[in-house]
Amino acid sequence: MTSDKRTPFSGDYDEVLEILQRESGITTSENEKSVLATYGLGPCVAVSGWSPEYKLGFLTHFDGNTKLDESFSELYYNLLQKVGTESTEFDVRIVGGRMNVSESLIKRIKGKLNIQPKLRMNLVEEDTVGLESFIGRDIALDTKTGQTFSYDVNNNPNARDIDFDSLRFKYSIPSEALFVQ
């Protein structure tokens, strides 16, 4: 399902790296996979960030059982590997969640945004909870421009398959991460 608040993604799907539940991704404008996208954000919540200075972006897909301390530590470590010793700012968006289910997760995520002094996370959009969230939300981030789009997985001929049998086992292990170099 796509959000009607954003323009639908209509770019090259060969450039899209899909981030599934309990995954994180980092990429740059120079990478062949320069667009990060996720979908199915019902009770799940995504955090996207883009550094205009480095044309570097990240996208996460958290659920209520994600170990946020570990996930953010890994995310920040990998972002610092990209920016080195310099400080940078990210335009951050929090998307998803379901009313009466996700408020605690969103609060915990917000508490993790600025724990790394060299990575300033400026919250520029919060599209969370609400009655319409029962259909799920989605987001795509183009690291070449910083523009975000709605994302319909059904339009992507290269979409990753979800293995629902193994998904239940993911709940007992730490968050996975996909870091594109």
Side-chain angles (χ1 to χ4, degrees):
M1 293 287 157
T2 58
S3 168
D4 58 346
K5 295 181 181 182
R6 289 182 190 82
T7 304
F9 179 77
S10 60
D12 184 353
Y13 285 97
D14 288 335
E15 296 179 359
V16 174
L17 175 64
E18 286 184 346
I19 306 302
L20 302 180
Q21 188 171 345
R22 290 222 178 151
E23 292 180 342
S24 297
I26 297 174
T27 194
T28 68
S29 61
E30 296 173 2
N31 192 283
E32 67 180 43
K33 298 284 188 182
S34 60
V35 177
L36 299 168
T38 196
Y39 58 94
L41 300 166
C44 296
V45 178
V47 180
S48 75
W50 184 67
S51 168
E53 180 181 2
Y54 289 92
K55 297 205 182 289
L56 170 69
F58 68 85
L59 182 63
T60 66
H61 186 137
F62 296 131
D63 64 28
N65 293 315
T66 300
K67 295 179 180 179
L68 289 182
D69 287 341
E70 292 173 16
S71 296
F72 271 97
S73 291
E74 188 173 16
L75 175 67
Y76 289 157
Y77 173 82
N78 284 289
L79 288 171
L80 286 168
Q81 296 301 305
K82 294 287 190 188
V83 301
T85 59
E86 300 298 316
S87 295
T88 192
E89 294 187 18
F90 286 84
D91 296 334
V92 173
R93 292 172 165 75
I94 301 176
V95 178
R98 183 174 292 151
M99 190 183 311
N100 300 320
V101 176
S102 306
E103 288 87 347
S104 173
L105 175 60
I106 293 165
K107 182 178 179 180
R108 289 174 34 229
I109 288 169
K110 286 181 179 179
K112 300 289 180 195
L113 287 182
N114 282 300
I115 61 172
Q116 175 44 255
K118 292 187 178 194
L119 303 172
R120 290 184 304 281
M121 303 291 168
N122 302 319
L123 187 59
V124 296
E125 179 186 358
E126 185 176 350
D127 180 14
T128 57
V129 299
L131 295 175
E132 73 280 1
S133 67
F134 285 103
I135 61 170
R137 290 191 177 97
D138 47 74
I139 187 168
L141 169 65
D142 184 339
T143 60
K144 292 176 184 172
T145 64
Q147 186 174 359
T148 57
F149 301 90
S150 62
Y151 177 72
D152 187 342
V153 66
N154 297 312
N155 292 336
N156 186 348
N158 308 316
R160 292 173 58 201
D161 289 330
I162 299 174
D163 181 356
F164 289 103
D165 288 332
S166 67
L167 185 61
R168 61 190 152 105
F169 295 110
K170 290 176 112 175
Y171 285 97
S172 63
I173 61 174
S175 175
E176 291 184 27
L178 297 172
F179 294 104
V180 177
Q181 298 302 321

